[in-house]
Amino acid sequence: MYGTIFAGICGVILLGMVFLLLATFCKMRARPVTPLPSPAPPLPLKRDPLELLEPPPPARRIGSAPRKLQYRSQTLVELREEVIALTRPIVAELKSYSNPPAAVHKTMIAVFVMLGESEKKLAQWNYILQLLNKPGKASLMSRISDFSRESVSKGTVERARKQLDNLTSVEVESAGKSVSCLFLWVAKACEM
């Protein structure tokens, strides 16, 4: 007797729930569809190193006369700070190359020549990779932050500038986006 009463009560409860679900479903269908909220505005991107140059077209070559690059009030110190901020992505990109594009290799030769390395050894990409792996004071970040343009001889500047001849920022960026920041730094260092 209790079993049939219990079964009847459960049936009534189940029937009530079914009607409740149907009523809710009908109400939902009667409501107009509201559009989804608009997505959040995009996050501001980090400043692209190539924005430091005046408008790119036509691309200027380092070796062309007049020899001045046209920067928007960027000093060597400001460029150095940007390079230091991007050092990890730059080094990661450089380490990914087993045989880098010529523009990337020439840029790195110019950077390390300005930092006092032998140009002959830098012709081998493996030597540049060894320099990039050095820790502490010998690391690329430390060497760039300690760089003093006054301590570099005119001959060293000419050797670095020779590596940058016939390179444009557009060529370097298309070869390696992160490396273009180093290109701007070394070009500014050679210009002074």
Side-chain angles (χ1 to χ4, degrees), residues 117-146:
E117 293 295 327
S118 166
E119 197 172 353
K120 290 179 184 176
K121 291 181 181 178
L122 293 169
Q124 298 297 317
W125 182 248
N126 287 336
Y127 183 70
I128 292 175
L129 290 177
Q130 288 174 8
L131 293 172
L132 291 172
N133 284 323
K134 289 192 174 184
K137 285 287 187 186
S139 71
L140 179 63
M141 185 186 329
S142 293
R143 291 176 75 180
I144 289 176
S145 66
D146 295 341

Side-chain angles (χ1 to χ4, degrees), residues 142-156:
S142 293
R143 291 176 75 180
I144 289 176
S145 66
D146 295 341
F147 177 77
S148 170
R149 174 61 174 85
E150 293 77 31
S151 66
V152 179
S153 70
K154 288 183 180 182
T156 300

Side-chain angles (χ1 to χ4, degrees), residues 49-63:
L50 292 181
E51 290 176 4
L52 302 175
L53 291 175
E54 287 297 320
R60 302 253 349 243
R61 297 204 178 271
I62 299 294

Side-chain angles (χ1 to χ4, degrees), residues 47-54 56 72 168-170 172-174 177 180-181 183-184:
R47 211 164 94 196
D48 183 26
L50 292 181
E51 290 176 4
L52 302 175
L53 291 175
E54 287 297 320
R72 294 183 185 155
T168 65
S169 58
V170 175
V172 175
E173 182 187 19
S174 66
K177 185 140 177 102
S180 61
C181 191
F183 173 81
L184 294 175

